Amino acid sequence: MAFELKSVVPWGRNLKEYRLMFNLTEADLAKKIISAGDGPASFNAQMKSLGHKVISLDPIYEFSKEDLAQRIRETRQEVLTQTRRNQQNFVWKLIKDIDELEKVRMQAMQTFLADYEPGRQEGRYLAHALPNRTIYQDDEFELGLSSHFLLLYAQLGLDFHLQSITEMMRICREIRIFPLLDLNAEESSVLGETIEFFGSAYQIGIEPVAYEFQRNGNKMLRISKS
Ligand SMILES: C[S@@+](CC[C@H](N)C(=O)[O-])C[C@H]1O[C@@H](n2cnc3c(N)ncnc32)[C@H](O)[C@@H]1O
């Protein structure tokens, strides 16, 4: 896989944030879940602690724990500096300031790192880059998630997103994508055509969620087969 670690800026969210971003109920948590572009989020690790098994897909899982820990140390200050510079683009409610942001993100990434080696051995962290075909059967998962990956990187182009979502819909009964914005906190330029493309085959809708950190990033896209 030609995926360079120096192009990665690891930044991970936690289970509480995933629950809010995706309107996840207790019943949802018990579903068979696959989550794309999970990076160093602690969602998988915290779900494991609750007795649930989540599969996370991300190309960064080809790297060792030491490599990822080193990359987190290298990029942490830069991300915080950028966020401080663009503070007005964020809603400081759930997370009240930069200091709390640093604490919450570092805690999530430490929880991920502690779980990473056992999780890889259990097949919960799979090195995989969408839109490549995954190893899973049609409809193997009840729920697929994408936090801050699909739609967000609009610069990857419409085809990348359509093909990646097509693969997710092959293996999942339903998927949820958050946020619907791009990296500049504008509505993702691939959102409209994505809705149009999948609207004829599936049920598709935008739903409000209780999470808002990127300003106006308080909606998710749900695509389902039933
Ligand atoms: C901004 S991070 C989001 C991490 C996590 N989902 C969260 O919300 O905390 C985006 C992640 O997408 C991953 N990614 C980039 N290209 C990908 C691809 N082609 N397939 C799957 N994941 C990818 C990156 O490696 C990175 O970990």
Side-chain angles (χ1 to χ4, degrees), residues 11-13 18 37-39 41 58-60 129-130 147-149 153 160:
W11 206 231
R13 292 165 189 80
Y18 270 63
D38 260 353
D58 200 301
I60 70 165
L130 287 171
S147 158
H148 296 83
F149 164 47
Y153 297 121
F160 173 87

Side-chain angles (χ1 to χ4, degrees), residues 2-225:
F3 197 83
E4 291 190 30
L5 190 54
K6 66 176 186 316
S7 69
V8 175
V9 180
W11 206 231
R13 292 165 189 80
N14 60 32
L15 173 64
K16 181 179 167 194
E17 295 180 285
Y18 270 63
R19 289 193 70 153
L20 293 172
M21 291 186 287
F22 297 114
N23 283 343
L24 293 174
T25 62
E26 286 297 325
D28 287 329
L29 296 184
K31 288 178 178 165
K32 196 164 178 200
I33 299 177
I34 188 162
S35 193
D38 260 353
S42 61
F43 174 61
N44 192 320
Q46 291 182 277
M47 285 288 276
K48 164 85 179 171
S49 304
L50 295 177
H52 303 300
K53 180 174 173 180
V54 170
I55 306 282
S56 296
L57 298 181
D58 200 301
I60 70 165
Y61 302 149
E62 75 172 276
F63 301 107
S64 68
K65 175 180 171 178
E66 290 66 35
D67 287 342
L68 293 177
Q70 169 64 16
R71 189 64 192 149
I72 290 169
R73 281 193 295 274
E74 280 167 13
T75 55
R76 159 191 187 161
Q77 275 317 322
E78 177 57 22
V79 181
L80 290 168
T81 303
Q82 287 293 343
T83 311
R84 195 172 279 115
R85 241 178 240 153
N86 297 301
Q87 275 192 65
Q88 71 287 354
N89 292 340
F90 298 94
V91 176
W92 299 98
K93 218 155 116 187
L94 190 71
I95 295 172
K96 68 176 190 314
D97 56 25
I98 297 271
D99 290 342
E100 190 180 341
L101 179 69
E102 178 173 22
K103 210 167 104 194
V104 169
R105 292 283 171 270
M106 292 316 292
Q107 209 166 42
M109 293 193 281
Q110 291 307 333
T111 303
F112 159 79
L113 286 173
D115 180 56
Y116 183 54
E117 295 297 357
R120 274 216 292 194
Q121 275 161 29
E122 291 165 20
R124 288 186 288 110
Y125 296 109
L126 195 77
H128 183 86
L130 287 171
N132 294 321
R133 190 179 170 92
T134 59
I135 54 175
Y136 302 107
Q137 306 289 313
D138 291 0
D139 291 337
E140 189 161 336
F141 297 91
E142 290 170 281
L143 183 58
L145 303 175
S146 161
S147 158
H148 296 83
F149 164 47
L150 293 171
L151 302 180
L152 180 76
Y153 297 121
Q155 75 276 13
L156 295 176
L158 180 64
D159 280 353
F160 173 87
H161 293 280
L162 296 184
Q163 288 169 24
S164 298
I165 295 171
T166 297
E167 175 58 9
M168 289 295 281
M169 286 310 292
R170 183 184 70 75
I171 61 175
C172 301
R173 300 287 313 159
E174 174 190 325
I175 68 167
R176 300 181 199 176
I177 300 174
F178 178 95
L180 311 184
L181 305 178
D182 63 18
L183 292 168
N184 298 317
E186 304 287 341
E187 184 179 282
S188 171
S189 59
V190 298
L191 176 64
E193 282 164 289
T194 299
I195 292 174
E196 210 173 293
F197 185 85
F198 292 101
S200 52
Y202 304 119
Q203 287 193 342
I204 189 160
I206 292 176
E207 296 175 23
V209 300
Y211 185 90
E212 184 179 11
F213 184 53
Q214 251 183 323
R215 198 169 289 287
N216 299 322
N218 55 2
K219 295 181 203 77
M220 70 158 176
L221 185 67
R222 186 198 295 256
I223 312 177
S224 61
K225 289 178 177 164

